[in-house]
Amino acid sequence: MAFWGRKNKETEPESRENRKKTGPIRRLWQKFRAIDWKNPVNRWKLLFVSLIGCIVLFGGGYGVIAFTNSPSFCSSCHEMQPEYSSYTASAHNQISCVQCHIKPGAVNMITHKMKSVKELYYHATGVPKQIVQTEEEAVSNQNCLQCHSKNRLVTASGDLKVNHKGHIEQGIPCITCHAGVVHAKMASRGINTEDVRGEWTKESAEKLMEEKYLRPNMGTCIDCHDKVNNGEKPWKDPAYSVPPNPEEVEKKLEETKTAANGEEKAEAKTEAASEVNTTETLASANDEKTQSIILQAIGKEKKDVKLSMECTTCHKQTEVPKSHKNLDWNNNHGTTAIKKLDTCMECHQDSKWVREIPKEDIISLLKMGNKKVKYTPNVTLAKEQARTNKFCSACHSDRPTSHGNSDQWLTAHANKAKTANQKAECFVCHDFEKPKADSTEAKAATDVYCQYCHRTGFKDDAKN
């Protein structure tokens, strides 16, 4: 007795020649057609086999999806080591990778799995030098709202006043502000490149996951608010919320270099010089813009804008230190800056006022760690900060009120520069000698230097 029952007696037996010519699939099909489907036993057998087939098919498919959804699967590829290590050291290490990186829904899951086949191709043929989240695969608000409520008016720390619901309803992606919550903005910092992937372990990740990169960057808020005040909606461009792809940037640089060869060399050289001038102009304009925002923040510059840039607009608990409220604080804070420069930088460092994130060296970061180095009073360091820090230069670029009229100040400023401390304050804005063109020292706020007038020298050493 065959599994499917007896053959129909009327069916002609196959000859040896026909059996040789017929393939295995066709023979199987012929046997299937020969089954007596009027027999209820055969129909039950078909139902049983179909049920087992579905269990194997769907169960196996679910097993494959479940396995590829696990963080351990992501860590199986060496190029994902930085991402996996930072994930294990983050506050999100209790949820799976796909809960953030795949939109909710079975259709989105299947679609993502089909698109991810290309990742296997890259893994086998050539891993990218740096893993960067693309615009198409950026974490969506749908993912975040699976766990987080949009009805929040203050941050978890209670300091920032942020209307999350209002931002989301405007279509602003969560990652515009919270890009570093899991991976500490490693792509923007340039510390997940091919040559340093081996440096990433669970222990090293704890050193590299600095708090300032996990939390929203104030410069991001400032940049976006400033653009809104100018009538823009920067978040409409998906590229605004994700870091630039380094390979595309490198490709553009190579194209620029190629254009500089051959007959176009002279022309390219002129263009390069023009680009340098343009870059300097843009940098100067950017500094001026940043300083304008800083002056708005501290209430020294008032503008009719949609979003106020003053600190108290967003910060709930921030208070101006009592020492800052002294009437003569603007002219006499130099000594305090030298003694407590580290405290000053908690609010006034440039990194808090700009959106751009500088590139970092992972080896240096691992050696130093994220421990704070104890500051010792340093006049030179304070002077450099006063010259380069945009917050300081916003005021230091203006002539101090203490200098009065030029003709009076020229004959009366000697009494203000007698002691070493007084001279140190002068050298914040002025150089002693004429600065050299190729000097690496921070540029002074003014081009007036001591020897410009005192060409015959001084009675004592003016530097001391």
Side-chain angles (χ1 to χ4, degrees), residues 97-147:
C97 304
V98 297
Q99 283 180 266
C100 289
H101 290 285
I102 300 179
K103 290 182 180 180
V107 175
N108 291 326
M109 177 70 72
I110 300 299
T111 304
H112 184 273
K113 295 300 178 185
M114 294 175 67
K115 288 181 178 179
S116 296
V117 174
K118 69 176 183 292
E119 304 297 338
L120 298 175
Y121 171 77
Y122 293 143
H123 179 74
T125 58
V127 177
K129 293 180 180 178
Q130 187 181 19
I131 304 297
V132 178
Q133 192 173 48
T134 61
E135 298 171 19
E136 295 80 11
E137 300 295 332
V139 177
S140 70
N141 287 359
Q142 296 176 43
N143 297 95
C144 302
L145 293 174
Q146 291 178 105
C147 300

Side-chain angles (χ1 to χ4, degrees), residues 86 90 175-191 200 205-218 220 349 351-352 354-361 365 369-370:
S86 58
S90 74
I175 60 168
T176 301
C177 297
H178 299 281
V181 68
V182 176
H183 301 299
K185 301 181 181 178
M186 58 169 64
S188 299
R189 295 161 67 190
I191 57 174
W200 281 90
E206 292 176 355
K207 293 182 180 180
L208 297 167
M209 301 284 281
E210 296 185 61
E211 192 70 23
K212 63 182 179 180
Y213 295 121
L214 295 174
R215 292 187 174 187
N217 177 19
M218 191 173 78
T220 301
Q349 59 180 322
S351 60
K352 289 194 173 185
V354 293
R355 184 169 182 261
E356 294 74 20
I357 297 175
K359 298 295 181 182
E360 296 181 331
D361 176 27
L365 290 174
N370 49 17

Side-chain angles (χ1 to χ4, degrees), residues 152-173:
R152 178 185 285 180
L153 296 177
V154 294
T155 57
S157 65
D159 177 41
L160 285 176
K161 297 177 287 185
V162 181
N163 184 353
H164 286 75
K165 185 177 180 180
H167 282 70
I168 292 171
E169 289 178 349
Q170 286 290 329
I172 301 173

Side-chain angles (χ1 to χ4, degrees), residues 217-442:
N217 177 19
M218 191 173 78
T220 301
C221 304
I222 289 172
D223 183 77
C224 188
H225 287 187
D226 183 59
K227 283 180 167 60
V228 170
N229 288 335
N230 291 318
E232 302 176 43
K233 293 184 177 181
W235 61 86
K236 293 292 184 181
D237 182 6
Y240 186 76
S241 301
V242 297
N245 189 323
E247 293 190 358
E248 292 181 1
V249 173
E250 188 176 341
K251 185 179 178 181
K252 289 181 180 179
L253 289 174
E254 288 294 330
E255 290 176 354
T256 304
K257 289 180 181 179
T258 304
N261 295 329
E263 296 178 357
E264 300 178 354
K265 191 172 182 179
E267 184 180 347
K269 189 174 181 180
T270 304
E271 290 180 0
S274 177
E275 286 180 6
V276 170
N277 293 330
T278 304
T279 303
E280 291 177 351
T281 303
L282 290 173
S284 177
N286 184 58
D287 288 348
E288 186 177 346
K289 173 186 170 183
T290 304
Q291 290 170 355
S292 172
I293 292 171
I294 289 170
L295 291 172
Q296 292 179 55
I298 60 179
K300 286 194 171 185
E301 186 175 310
K302 300 290 184 181
K303 287 190 175 183
D304 183 18
V305 295
K306 298 177 183 177
L307 296 170
S308 172
M309 305 296 277
E310 290 195 48
C311 301
T312 52
T313 302
C314 298
H315 289 279
K316 186 178 180 182
Q317 298 176 349
T318 299
E319 292 183 3
V320 178
K322 292 180 180 179
S323 60
H324 290 42
K325 297 178 181 179
N326 295 336
L327 294 176
D328 204 29
W329 175 252
N330 286 343
N331 298 323
N332 291 301
H333 62 274
T335 304
T336 305
I338 294 171
K339 292 179 179 179
K340 300 180 179 180
L341 185 63
D342 55 334
T343 306
C344 299
M345 290 302 103
E346 288 180 5
C347 291
H348 301 310
Q349 59 180 322
D350 275 354
S351 60
K352 289 194 173 185
W353 293 85
V354 293
R355 184 169 182 261
E356 294 74 20
I357 297 175
K359 298 295 181 182
E360 296 181 331
D361 176 27
I362 190 172
I363 306 300
S364 300
L365 290 174
L366 291 175
K367 286 181 179 179
M368 295 174 60
N370 49 17
K371 296 180 180 179
K372 289 187 177 180
V373 180
K374 187 178 179 180
Y375 171 75
T376 54
N378 189 318
V379 175
T380 304
L381 190 60
K383 182 183 77 172
E384 289 179 355
Q385 277 294 334
R387 289 186 174 189
T388 59
N389 190 300
K390 295 181 180 65
F391 200 106
C392 301
S393 58
C395 295
H396 278 276
S397 57
D398 295 331
R399 182 180 175 84
T401 53
S402 62
H403 286 32
N405 296 324
S406 296
D407 56 345
Q408 295 175 354
W409 178 251
L410 284 174
T411 58
H413 69 274
N415 292 329
K416 301 290 185 179
K418 286 184 175 181
T419 67
N421 287 337
Q422 287 177 329
K423 290 170 184 175
E425 292 180 13
C426 296
F427 292 141
V428 168
C429 296
H430 299 278
D431 283 318
F432 178 70
E433 301 172 335
K434 183 178 181 180
K436 297 178 181 178
D438 57 348
S439 175
T440 56
E441 189 178 352

